[in-house]
Amino acid sequence: MSEIHGVCEPRFGAVREAFERNFGEGRELGASVAVYQRGRAVVDLWGGRASQADEWRQDTIALLASATKGLVAAAAMLLVDRGVLDLDAPVAEYWPEFAAGGKERIPLRWVLGHRSGVVTVNPPLTLADLEQGGAVSEALAAARPAWRPGRAHGYHCLTMGWLVGEVVQRVTGLSVGRYFAKEIAAPLGLDLYIGPPGGKDLADLVPPTEAQLLQGRANPELAGLNRAICDPASLFHRSTFGSLALTGNPLAGMPQAEIPSCGGAGNAAGLARLYAALIGEVDGVRLLRPETADRARTVEAAGMDLVLRCHTAYGRGFMLPGGPMWPGDCSPTAFGHAGVTGVFAYADPDHDLGFAYVPNRMTELIEGGDDRVRRLIEATHRCAARQG
């Protein structure tokens, strides 16, 4: 049993118990969990090992995978709040080259809500393309939607971050990673990064075992996704493996380039603080006005996802409750994001909560949502609900 470090207010003791149970059952290697309520940290726990040589410390950071999309969405909604971006404006208004291939009428909210259809890149991008940047924007400008924009939705596995990032670059002169660092991470003191994590070491990622993968694939709600993963003709396969031409271990290279859909890094304390600041004031900083936070969680798409082949729901860049990608019962007003590394983070306006969980043992599912985080979320929700 790993020793658990950190602080947890007694009224959130069930969260600590759930965290300890994950370790006690051998489900964890190293992890952190954090909860903010009413702008104040009420849970900040960590334990286990970041690597064979190092214990998980308070400042340990790990790869966030697709939970990075939540950071990108926060940056975009901050620009919406400041009147710099308009959710209903065509992307081509900010990025004229994007109009090619029948994309001239796609509004920004369709990109954030995974409705644009721009989910694949052909020919596939190399690591040099990712690090250079310009080749990515050119490929996306030339891309054609995989379905009629606005008529359906499907998870923009890789393209969401690049598309939004290009718009942010066009209106601010900064990459989305640099904009996030300047306007969000610095004012809040967040140990969160979109792209290279400032020379800091990342916790080692450990993939799930074969038995754990089989357990994840047994979920009947994910039957369509599991078939798509194995089908090179599927939109899932074409939008992930088919859109990248990487050799070796791609996860090892990702932190060296700014890949805003999946290349971020951070810890639970930073993520929980970020989501708390999206819906309320944290040490004098509130990122979004209440009406903008409401727009961030407004349903943009819900139902059968053409890429993930299961039910999903999205707001403006954020996942919403409903379907197998959102673990556990919580407030219907919640919004957040998961990652294949097992990361999950969200805001709950009904209870003024910011929650985050960051492990280094990857999930057996494609995006977060396994039993480890489910029990943490449900414990958090019970504790918060009792407090009204």
Side-chain angles (χ1 to χ4, degrees):
M1 175 67 184
S2 296
E3 183 178 356
I4 304 303
H5 304 276
V7 296
C8 178
E9 291 194 356
R11 62 194 177 94
F12 280 87
V15 179
R16 184 184 184 108
E17 292 172 5
F19 194 54
E20 290 174 339
R21 181 181 170 189
N22 285 344
F23 280 96
E25 293 179 354
R27 302 291 303 278
E28 300 287 17
L29 297 173
S32 58
V33 62
V35 181
Y36 272 68
Q37 187 174 45
R38 302 184 183 96
R40 192 170 57 84
V42 294
V43 177
D44 184 10
L45 300 172
W46 63 92
R49 305 201 68 80
S51 67
Q52 287 188 346
D54 298 313
E55 292 185 349
W56 195 289
R57 303 183 304 272
Q58 185 175 18
D59 62 351
T60 295
I61 61 173
L63 189 65
L64 302 180
S66 284
T68 311
K69 292 182 179 73
L71 281 57
V72 173
M77 292 308 298
L78 181 59
L79 287 166
V80 170
D81 191 80
R82 293 176 175 179
V84 179
L85 290 178
D86 181 349
L87 289 171
D88 293 312
V91 171
E93 183 175 306
Y94 307 108
W95 177 11
E97 296 87 347
F98 184 74
K103 305 192 299 297
E104 66 278 359
R105 296 183 180 178
I106 294 175
L108 179 60
R109 63 184 177 88
W110 286 2
V111 174
L112 287 164
H114 301 268
R115 296 175 65 197
S116 80
V118 185
V119 295
T120 64
V121 178
N122 189 29
L125 297 163
T126 66
L127 185 57
D129 292 331
L130 304 187
E131 293 177 339
Q132 189 269 337
V136 176
S137 62
E138 291 173 6
L140 292 169
R144 290 185 173 275
W147 61 82
R148 186 172 177 180
R151 291 297 181 92
H153 78 278
Y155 189 45
H156 293 32
C157 303
L158 295 172
T159 58
M160 182 270 202
W162 286 323
L163 292 169
V164 177
E166 184 68 22
V167 172
V168 171
Q169 175 86 40
R170 298 277 174 145
V171 299
T172 68
L174 299 173
S175 71
V176 67
R178 291 181 179 179
Y179 182 79
F180 179 87
K182 177 185 177 187
E183 300 294 337
I184 296 178
L188 283 164
L190 306 179
D191 212 358
L192 295 177
Y193 309 86
I194 301 174
K200 293 189 175 184
D201 292 333
L202 296 174
D204 288 347
L205 280 180
V206 178
T209 65
E210 183 176 349
Q212 289 162 344
L213 282 173
L214 289 173
Q215 178 185 354
R217 291 183 178 179
N219 184 341
E221 291 185 284
L222 296 175
L225 173 58
N226 288 325
R227 288 192 295 269
I229 290 172
C230 301
D231 181 4
S234 72
L235 268 181
F236 175 82
H237 203 282
R238 288 160 50 204
S239 66
T240 53
F241 311 113
S243 291
L244 294 175
L246 304 181
T247 58
N249 179 2
L251 288 176
M254 281 186 176
Q256 305 308 312
E258 188 172 301
I259 306 175
S261 275
C262 56
N267 53 31
L271 279 171
R273 188 173 174 87
L274 167 66
Y275 277 95
L278 290 174
I279 59 171
E281 187 173 299
V282 178
D283 292 336
V285 178
R286 178 169 186 151
L287 294 174
L288 304 179
R289 290 171 294 168
E291 57 268 32
T292 309
D294 286 343
R295 296 182 76 188
R297 62 181 179 83
T298 296
V299 178
E300 184 65 43
M304 176 55 66
D305 188 301
L306 295 186
V307 175
L308 297 181
R309 304 307 305 170
C310 64
H311 179 97
T312 57
Y314 303 104
R316 277 65 191 267
F318 298 99
M319 288 182 168
L320 303 179
M325 294 300 158
W326 189 284
D329 294 326
C330 63
S331 168
T333 64
F335 61 97
H337 219 288
V340 71
T341 51
V343 177
F344 200 89
Y346 71 93
D348 176 353
D350 280 354
H351 299 101
D352 204 358
L353 285 174
F355 168 93
Y357 162 72
V358 176
N360 64 343
R361 198 222 88 191
M362 296 174 67
T363 179
E364 59 265 21
L365 306 177
I366 191 64
E367 291 289 16
D370 62 31
D371 288 341
R372 296 173 300 170
V373 67
R374 186 185 306 276
R375 61 178 51 149
L376 289 168
I377 288 175
E378 292 179 350
T380 298
H381 184 63
R382 291 196 304 271
C383 294
R386 286 198 298 268
Q387 299 302 313

